[in-house]
Amino acid sequence: TSQMKQIRLSRGAFLLEASSLSIAEIALSCGFESANYFATAFHQEYHISPREYRKQRQKQSHFPFQP
């Protein structure tokens, strides 16, 4: 469902900021079949790629992400 996908994407966003896992590892750990599908879904939800999201968050504060 759409709500379940949003939860998985939120967890992915948290892991992008809080871990050093690769995007592929994050995608799989959040239940996505591939890194490409995760990246597409992430971009549709957040209007930014997972890689760029991670870069921006790492440049900003070191406070935990609050989804």
Side-chain angles (χ1 to χ4, degrees):
T1 67
S2 166
Q3 185 178 10
M4 192 63 171
K5 187 174 171 183
Q6 286 179 322
I7 291 168
R8 291 170 26 212
L9 287 169
S10 178
R11 182 170 187 264
F14 171 78
L15 290 173
L16 285 167
E17 183 177 349
S19 78
S20 60
L21 294 171
S22 71
I23 292 171
E25 289 171 317
I26 291 171
L28 293 175
S29 74
C30 292
F32 291 90
E33 294 181 14
S34 72
N36 285 339
Y37 179 56
F38 171 71
T40 298
F42 192 93
H43 192 277
Q44 288 174 345
E45 182 71 21
Y46 295 102
H47 308 287
I48 189 171
S49 73
R51 182 173 285 115
E52 286 300 315
Y53 180 89
R54 177 175 263 171
K55 276 186 198 175
Q56 282 187 5
R57 291 293 179 160
Q58 287 175 345
K59 286 181 183 177
Q60 293 175 358
S61 70
H62 293 283
F63 295 106
F65 174 66
Q66 299 294 320

